[in-house]
Amino acid sequence: MADHRDLARELLARARDDELAAKALLSAGEVSDAIVAFHAQQAVEKALKAGLASIGAEFPFTHDLGLLMQLCEDARLALPESLAEADLLTPYAAQLRYGSSPSATVSRVQALGLAVEARRWAVRIIET
C-alpha cells in the first residue's frame, strides 16, 4: 500500500496536469473562461490535498477550496498570501459540471496564477 508521501506526489502530479491544461487553454479564445478556471480549480484542490497528504493529514472528498485551505491552516501548513483568494475558484468545480454557470469571479489569467502558486506551495511543503 502506498504511503502518504506517495499519495502527496501523485496528487501533485495531477495538480501539475491541471495547471498545464489551464495554461494550454489560456490563449484559446474559443474556450470559455469557465473551462480555464475549472482546470485551475482542480489544480489548486489537488495541490492543497497534496500538502495535507504529505504530513499524513486526512481530508474529505470535496471541491471546497475554502474548507481545504482551513484544513491546511489547522494542520499548521501556512498558506502564502498569494493564495488568499483561491476560494474564488470553488464554484467552477461543481456548478460548472452540474449545469449551472458560476458568475465570473476571476479572470482566466488570475485563475492560472492561483494554480501556479498552489502547486509551488505544495512542492515546497512536500520537499521539506
Side-chain angles (χ1 to χ4, degrees), residues 74-127:
D74 292 349
R76 301 189 201 287
L77 294 175
L79 295 168
E81 184 61 33
S82 59
L83 290 178
E85 295 187 332
D87 190 32
L88 292 174
L89 292 172
T90 294
Y92 294 97
Q95 288 178 8
L96 176 67
R97 292 296 182 218
Y98 296 101
S100 173
S101 295
S103 301
T105 56
V106 295
S107 72
R108 61 203 298 146
V109 171
Q110 182 185 12
L112 177 60
L114 290 165
V116 169
E117 288 299 317
R119 190 180 57 78
R120 286 180 182 162
W121 169 83
V123 166
R124 287 191 302 272
I125 295 298
I126 292 168
E127 291 180 352

Side-chain angles (χ1 to χ4, degrees), residues 3-128:
D3 71 3
H4 64 273
R5 303 289 284 179
D6 291 335
L7 175 59
R9 286 188 287 275
E10 179 62 27
L11 287 165
L12 187 59
R14 299 293 67 82
R16 183 176 183 274
D17 287 346
D18 277 307
E19 177 190 329
L20 291 173
K23 184 176 182 179
L25 296 170
L26 189 67
S27 62
E30 63 276 9
V31 174
S32 72
D33 291 352
I35 295 299
V36 175
F38 167 76
H39 285 290
Q41 186 284 334
Q42 288 291 289
V44 173
E45 177 183 327
K46 290 167 186 144
L48 294 172
K49 289 176 178 178
L52 289 164
S54 73
I55 61 166
E58 293 190 20
F59 50 86
F61 177 77
T62 184
H63 301 299
D64 185 341
L65 297 182
L67 173 61
L68 293 171
M69 292 165 70
Q70 186 60 56
L71 290 173
C72 288
E73 294 291 336
D74 292 349
R76 301 189 201 287
L77 294 175
L79 295 168
E81 184 61 33
S82 59
L83 290 178
E85 295 187 332
D87 190 32
L88 292 174
L89 292 172
T90 294
Y92 294 97
Q95 288 178 8
L96 176 67
R97 292 296 182 218
Y98 296 101
S100 173
S101 295
S103 301
T105 56
V106 295
S107 72
R108 61 203 298 146
V109 171
Q110 182 185 12
L112 177 60
L114 290 165
V116 169
E117 288 299 317
R119 190 180 57 78
R120 286 180 182 162
W121 169 83
V123 166
R124 287 191 302 272
I125 295 298
I126 292 168
E127 291 180 352
T128 57

